[in-house]
Structures are given as structure tokens and as C-alpha cells.
Amino acid sequence: MSEEEKKDYAESPINLEYHYTAGSATTRFLNQVKEGKIVGQSCPKCSAVYVPPRGSCPRCGVATNIEVPLTDKGCIESFTIVHIPIPGNPIVPPYVCAMIRLDGANISFLHLIQGIDVEEIRIGMRIQAVWKPKDEWTHSLENIKWFTPIDEPDVDVATLRFEES
Amino acid sequence: MKKVAIVGYAQHPILENAGALNEVELIMPVVHQLFDELGISQNNIDFTCSGSCDYLQGAAFAFVEGLSAIQTNPPIKESHVEMDAAWAMYESMLKIQMGDADTALIYGFGKSSPGRLDSIISLQMDPYYISPLWPDRVSLAAIQARVLLEKNIVTPEQMITAVIEARTNSKNNKNALVTELVDKEAYLASEKISSPLNEFDCPPISDGSSAMIIASEEKAYDFTDQPIFIEGIDHRIESSNIGSRDLSKPTGILASIEQLKLEKTNFDVAELHTQFSHEVPYLQSVLNLNDVPTNLSGGPLVGNVMMCAGLDAIGKTYESLKSNDLTNGLAHASSGPCLQHNMLVHLEKKS
Ligand SMILES: [Zn+2]
């Protein structure tokens, strides 16, 4: 090794492989998503509805064992406009990532909003899922291409605050 | 020192592969079992502390997700150790000593099945000189076994006895993973994984969880008529560089023995966090336990849930004292390669 090639550091790459398990509750959810259905789970104690469900109600520490079929409509709980391109991402900025609160759910999840000028996006806006063609459905929420605004009156998100029943 | 006692302990059946069950789904049943047995809820708990390792799950801050198994509303005080849950118990002990809590829930969880435990464990080593060599856990243990054999501190016969006894004792433990009996012939016919250790000398890959509740003396009797008191607890860590340690000298453990004045106590039972067969006779001799029934649960050789097995040694000692006419028990928890970090817990049943 010549003087120029000398390194003052050592490379020590780490690579670990795992067989990831979603958990039995999320597995039930993903099996429904594969069929184009969104099924949340509710807490037997406080009745909160979780989507995607993770298997427990983190408020009560009990299994969410009640299945709750939901629609693919909801509202924008919060959003951000992304201006920075991410290498390998086919979506051209600016685009919108939003926290989607489905009707009947007590938590939101992150997804894309398309089909509207980014300047017009607002909290409380009504939206609905746009699904990929059925033959492309897998065990993933990516079966939904994005959410797009629908012609319904805005929702006051303050009214969505979870109240224990 | 405030007196603190163990008032309950529960263990998930140890599984070879918990499959679709995730960590939260492993924790919930044991915590609920414990609460149901004591007739209490999370509302009776002042402090909650867990032990786990994110490398086992392969996700940063995975331990936070574990909290979803616990009722957190109204808001709770909680903490976590990236260690065996025996150290979560230690932290809970301190919390009670400081007067910040009177009751504590401790839980540990670990799934070794999703990843390659050998690789994961080598990442606990010094990241500059040792981790890049990817020493696997069996080879590291084998280095210490070799040292102990060559110095005649442990004999091959003692290792065989440790294996045979662990398998025999597994019948006492309804949650044991490995229950098949082994005889000397089968042991000797087994190929070495990393000499001098063969598969019987090593613990099984295990998935599971455990939970425990401890309380100050004043509160303990609210939970049970027979709390088991933590008479003494001490832990010591040795160098992370195994090359700088004499692997045949248990420096840290000897310091703990002195601190806890253990030579004055006649123990009735002991549970040791001995993951490899040679560690059983070695620690029995160091701890002067040669005539004391040790690892009646079978110990880690019949089920070794990472981040739980140390807490389980304490829990199994608690169970032994509770359900038998015994007074003094010694539990040992360990962490790191070649018994680097050790905790001793002296448990006592008051008559
Ligand atoms: Zn709930």
C-alpha cells in the first residue's frame, strides 16, 4: 500500500437480517388490506378505534380484540408540503404528506394527498382513498395510491379529540 | 436501607419461536396475569421499569413500543434499561429507596428468533477491536470454559452433570422450553459447536417475557401475606475488554459477596443466570453453593429468554421460597461476555 492510499480509519460494516413479524393483530389488519378493506380494532375498555391496529390500546394496556370495519373516507388532521426531492422517489415535489383520520377512527396515519393544488390543502379537508388496480393489491397500505379531496364540507378537527366513553 | 420485597412474579411460557406474536403481545398476558393474581391494576403501581434490547428487534427505540402493553393513562412514571430486566428491578429498588415510589412493576421481554443471536450478541463488544471480528456468543463462552478446564477449576464431568441436572430439573418448570432428558452417552456423542462446548452446553434460542412486582415493606402486605424480602442486592461490572480479564477470577462477584456478607448466610436454594454448562459448577464453587440445591427450574440451559433470564433467576428463587419451607435464597443475574457483569440478590422469607 502506497503512502497516499493509507487510511486513518478502519471500515467495519454491520449488517443484520431479521424476520420481521407484524404481530397477530396487525396481521389480521393486513390480511383485510390485501382484500381492499380497512378494518380497525377497538379497545374493549375505552372504545378507542385504532387504524392501523398494533395489537393493544396504549392507553389501557389491553388487547384490541374488537374488529371495526371502516370506510376509506376521512379528513386531513395535519399535513406538510414537501419541497425537497428524495432520491429514488418517483413523486415530483412539491407534494403533500398528511395525517389521515378515517371516519370512525381515533388515530391517524401518514399518507399522500394528490389531485389538488398544494396551495389549497387545509386541515379538516374531506378526502377519500384512491386505490391501485385490484391485481396489484398486497399486504400493505400502499394498496392505496393516495388520498384525494372530495366535495364534502370541512370538518372541525377539534371535534375529533378522543373522549373516553 | 428501606426494606423492599417481591410480591409477585409471572413468566410467559418460553417459546422456540413466538411466530406472529410481537413483543407487545408477549408482554400483555404476563402483566395481566400478575395483576389478576394480586387483584390489582396499573393504578396500584408507582413506577414501571422494563428491560429489553433493541438489537433483538432490529429497530431503534423498539422498547418504547413495548410500553403499549401497559396501561399508560392516567400518565405513569416509567423507565427502561437496555439490559436484562434484573437491572430494571435494581433501578426500581433505587426508586423505592429514594422515596419516589412504594410499588414498582418490572417487565422484561425478548425474541431471539427473528434475528441471528450470534451476530447480535457480538455487537455488545468493544466496537473498535472486538466487534469487527464478530465473535459469536458460543465462542466467547468457550474461551472461558477452556480457561476453567485447563486450570482444573471446572471438570468435564461437572459440565455433563450440569447439563443432565438442568434437563432433569426442567420438569419443575412449567414454562421450560427444553424438557428432553439427556444422558452421558448422548452428551459425549454430540459434536462440538465451539470446543469445548457442544449443543447441550449451550442455551436454546428462546422467545418470551416475564414480569415482577416489588413493594416497600409498608405496601408489600397490602398485596400478599407472604412477601419475600430483598435482604441484599449488589452488582459489579468488569472490563469490557475480555483480554484484560483473568477469566478464571470472578473479581466482581467476590466483591459483591463481601459487600453482601454472603459467607455468613446458609442458603437453602439458588438460581443462577448460567447460560453455559461450565458456568454452573464455576459459580457454584465461587458462591459456595456446592451443597445448595441450584437451578431447580433448570435455569437458562432449558430456556433462556434474552433480557429476561436474569429476572427469571430472581423470580424462580422467589417462587421456591414462597412455595417451600425455606428461608434464604440466592439469585444471580449476568450480562456481557464471559460473566462480565454480575448481580447477586439475597432473598429472605420472614417467619
Ligand atoms: Zn383503551
Side-chain angles (χ1 to χ4, degrees):
Chain A
M1 191 184 282
S2 70
E3 199 60 34
E4 292 79 46
E5 286 170 336
K6 255 189 193 167
K7 291 176 176 175
D8 56 2
Y9 62 92
E11 285 181 24
S12 169
I14 293 173
N15 177 38
L16 297 173
E17 281 180 21
Y18 294 88
H19 298 280
Y20 176 74
T21 12
S24 62
T26 309
T27 300
R28 297 203 301 279
F29 168 77
L30 292 174
N31 283 336
Q32 296 285 345
V33 167
K34 176 94 167 36
E35 304 304 317
K37 294 178 199 135
I38 301 175
V39 182
Q41 289 172 20
S42 106
C43 170
K45 262 177 94 178
C46 73
S47 82
V49 174
Y50 295 93
V51 64
R54 300 285 187 214
S56 75
C57 173
R59 295 165 57 87
C60 306
V62 296
T64 49
N65 48 13
I66 305 161
E67 312 281 317
V68 182
L70 299 170
T71 77
D72 62 357
K73 283 187 185 179
C75 72
I76 296 176
E77 193 179 73
S78 180
F79 68 90
T80 187
I81 300 172
V82 181
H83 290 278
I84 302 166
I86 298 166
N89 188 341
I91 306 159
V92 183
Y95 60 92
V96 175
C97 283
M99 295 308 293
I100 310 289
R101 177 75 84 98
L102 291 185
D103 294 345
N106 293 111
I107 54 163
S108 50
F109 58 85
L110 192 68
H111 219 298
L112 282 171
I113 306 285
Q114 297 267 284
I116 183 172
D117 188 347
V118 295
E119 302 302 323
E120 285 179 47
I121 297 278
R122 55 195 185 270
I123 286 174
M125 186 175 235
R126 295 285 295 162
I127 38 117
Q128 184 169 17
V130 176
W131 294 78
K132 284 182 182 169
K134 199 173 177 178
D135 58 355
E136 292 177 27
W137 287 352
T138 64
H139 293 90
S140 166
L141 267 182
E142 286 180 21
N143 292 355
I144 295 171
K145 278 200 285 193
W146 52 67
F147 285 80
T148 200
I150 49 174
D151 190 17
E152 287 182 15
D154 282 11
V155 175
D156 177 3
V157 290
T159 63
L160 298 178
R161 213 184 132 81
F162 177 70
E163 301 289 349
E164 212 161 332
S165 55
Chain B
M1 279 274 282
K2 267 194 197 177
K3 289 228 173 285
V4 177
I6 301 174
V7 296
Y9 163 73
Q11 181 185 34
H12 197 285
I14 301 174
L15 306 168
E16 185 181 355
N17 184 342
L21 289 178
N22 65 18
E23 286 74 3
V24 169
E25 290 164 336
L26 283 173
I27 302 162
M28 270 191 296
V30 287
V31 172
H32 290 179
Q33 183 193 332
L34 200 45
F35 284 165
D36 291 348
E37 276 170 19
L38 297 172
I40 61 164
S41 74
Q42 183 74 31
N43 299 333
N44 299 85
I45 302 296
D46 297 333
F47 180 64
T48 302
C49 198
S50 61
S52 69
C53 175
D54 286 356
Y55 279 87
L56 290 170
Q57 272 162 284
F61 293 99
F63 70 92
V64 179
E65 179 121 32
L67 263 184
S68 297
I70 307 295
Q71 177 200 320
T72 52
N73 181 53
I76 62 168
K77 286 188 219 165
E78 61 86 25
S79 183
H80 172 260
V81 295
E82 192 75 10
M83 303 177 84
D84 191 288
W87 275 267
M89 195 202 87
Y90 191 89
E91 181 176 338
S92 303
M93 225 0 233
L94 296 182
K95 208 79 179 166
I96 293 175
Q97 294 303 328
M98 288 156 63
D100 288 348
D102 273 313
T103 56
L105 166 69
I106 297 117
Y107 63 92
F109 58 99
K111 280 179 78 173
S112 298
S113 64
R116 217 179 139 254
L117 191 59
D118 280 347
S119 307
I120 290 167
I121 294 293
S122 48
L123 293 179
Q124 75 182 324
M125 308 295 289
D126 158 60
Y128 299 102
Y129 298 105
I130 305 181
S131 270
L133 303 172
W134 292 93
D136 66 87
R137 69 201 166 102
V138 179
S139 300
L140 287 167
I143 292 172
Q144 189 169 33
R146 176 62 66 204
V147 170
L148 295 174
L149 286 172
E150 283 181 357
K151 292 197 171 180
N152 234 350
I153 295 169
V154 165
T155 65
E157 288 68 34
Q158 285 179 314
M159 288 168 64
I160 301 175
T161 306
V163 169
I164 292 174
E165 282 184 358
R167 298 294 184 103
T168 309
N169 285 339
S170 70
K171 69 175 186 304
N172 304 326
N173 182 355
K174 65 181 193 309
N175 299 321
L177 169 59
V178 181
T179 52
E180 209 181 310
L181 296 179
V182 165
D183 57 22
K184 195 171 173 176
E185 222 163 65
Y187 177 94
L188 292 173
S190 177
E191 248 179 73
K192 303 287 185 213
I193 298 176
S194 191
S195 183
L197 304 177
N198 67 29
E199 63 163 308
F200 298 113
D201 295 308
C202 303
I205 295 292
S206 311
D207 293 351
S209 67
S210 302
M212 179 181 280
I213 292 176
I214 64 173
S216 64
E217 186 172 25
E218 306 84 77
K219 278 285 163 75
Y221 289 98
D222 293 349
F223 292 105
T224 170
D225 296 338
Q226 189 63 271
I228 302 294
F229 285 87
I230 301 168
E231 266 307 296
I233 184 166
D234 193 64
H235 73 112
R236 307 279 168 144
I237 191 165
E238 293 175 33
S239 170
S240 60
N241 181 351
I242 49 168
S244 72
R245 289 171 56 198
D246 179 345
L247 295 178
S248 65
K249 284 216 168 65
T251 319
I253 298 178
L254 293 175
S256 289
I257 291 173
E258 201 184 322
Q259 172 73 28
L260 298 176
K261 301 184 173 61
L262 291 189
E263 63 281 358
K264 289 185 182 164
T265 310
N266 290 318
F267 286 103
D268 304 307
V269 68
E271 288 282 342
L272 309 178
H273 188 181
T274 40
Q275 299 185 70
F276 297 89
S277 64
H278 62 279
E279 298 176 353
V280 181
Y282 177 49
L283 289 190
Q284 276 186 303
S285 143
V286 169
L287 294 164
N288 199 18
L289 296 172
N290 290 322
D291 300 320
V292 178
T294 301
N295 286 2
L296 292 177
S297 69
L301 285 172
V302 300
N304 182 45
V305 180
M306 299 305 292
M307 308 301 134
C308 270
L311 184 71
D312 289 334
I314 303 169
K316 295 296 175 188
T317 311
Y318 159 83
E319 284 180 342
S320 279
L321 295 180
K322 185 123 178 152
S323 51
N324 298 290
D325 187 21
L326 304 172
T327 307
N328 285 295
L330 181 65
H332 159 261
S334 181
S335 177
C338 305
L339 300 168
Q340 180 203 0
H341 191 179
N342 297 279
M343 180 190 292
L344 297 179
V345 187
H346 173 189
L347 297 181
E348 189 182 317
K349 181 160 76 177
K350 308 275 186 218
S351 47

